[in-house]
Amino acid sequence: MTDAFSSPPHQPPYTPHTSSPSYQTYPWAPREPEPRPNPATPRHPSLGHHSDLRVLRGAYRWQRRVATLTALGYFVLFLLLSAFAPSFMTSEVSGGLSTGLLLGLLQVPVTCLAIWLYEHTARVRVDPLADRIRDLAAVDARRGTVR
């Protein structure tokens, strides 16, 4: 009989279990993959797409190529003519002005043209795409979605 003042019934002594430990005993043994937490699914899908960024990178790449090839292409042409066509470069255009000097002086307007091309392609091709992506990101931020 048990009452409020008696000791609990007798239990057998504790015996430890003999199964393998819960930690890895060998460092070369493959580990079980850790479970990844499930990310919270946003209520609304994000508006921006990866393709928008891909298009923006392509437009920016095209912009850099056009401006770079304009300036460097003219300069390389000038160097090649100087190296391989010295008679053409030393020929006189008018009043003691040689072709080489004239082409060298034209390097400044060509560089200005390359700068103008860079700004023009930025205004026409790159900036509208960047503005669109920026606006979509602002809408996503207001809605609280995570990309």
Side-chain angles (χ1 to χ4, degrees):
M1 276 181 77
T2 60
D3 59 2
F5 299 105
S6 65
S7 61
H10 181 64
Q11 295 179 351
Y14 173 73
T15 56
H17 63 281
T18 57
S19 66
S20 65
S22 61
Y23 54 87
Q24 290 286 336
T25 55
Y26 303 106
W28 57 84
R31 294 185 178 169
E32 294 181 22
E34 296 179 11
R36 293 184 180 177
N38 292 335
T41 307
R43 261 182 63 202
H44 304 286
S46 60
L47 294 175
H49 302 288
H50 294 292
S51 63
D52 293 338
L53 294 175
R54 197 173 309 123
V55 170
L56 179 64
R57 277 193 305 267
Y60 184 60
R61 190 179 310 120
W62 187 85
Q63 173 195 19
R64 287 187 321 234
R65 285 180 185 159
V66 167
T68 302
L69 290 177
T70 301
L72 287 180
Y74 182 81
F75 186 68
V76 167
L77 175 70
F78 177 74
L79 288 178
L80 289 174
L81 286 174
S82 297
F84 297 111
S87 61
F88 173 73
M89 295 297 274
T90 57
S91 64
E92 188 174 310
V93 177
S94 69
L97 183 65
S98 68
T99 308
L101 183 58
L102 180 65
L103 291 176
L105 290 174
L106 284 177
Q107 183 68 42
V108 173
V110 169
T111 304
C112 291
L113 174 70
I115 292 169
W116 178 83
L117 273 174
Y118 188 85
E119 290 177 352
H120 178 72
T121 54
R123 236 184 340 270
V124 171
R125 295 181 137 230
V126 177
D127 289 346
L129 291 171
D131 291 340
R132 179 175 168 230
I133 292 172
R134 192 176 301 116
D135 292 342
L136 291 175
V139 168
D140 281 349
R142 280 195 300 266
R143 288 193 332 194
T145 59
V146 178
R147 289 187 185 214

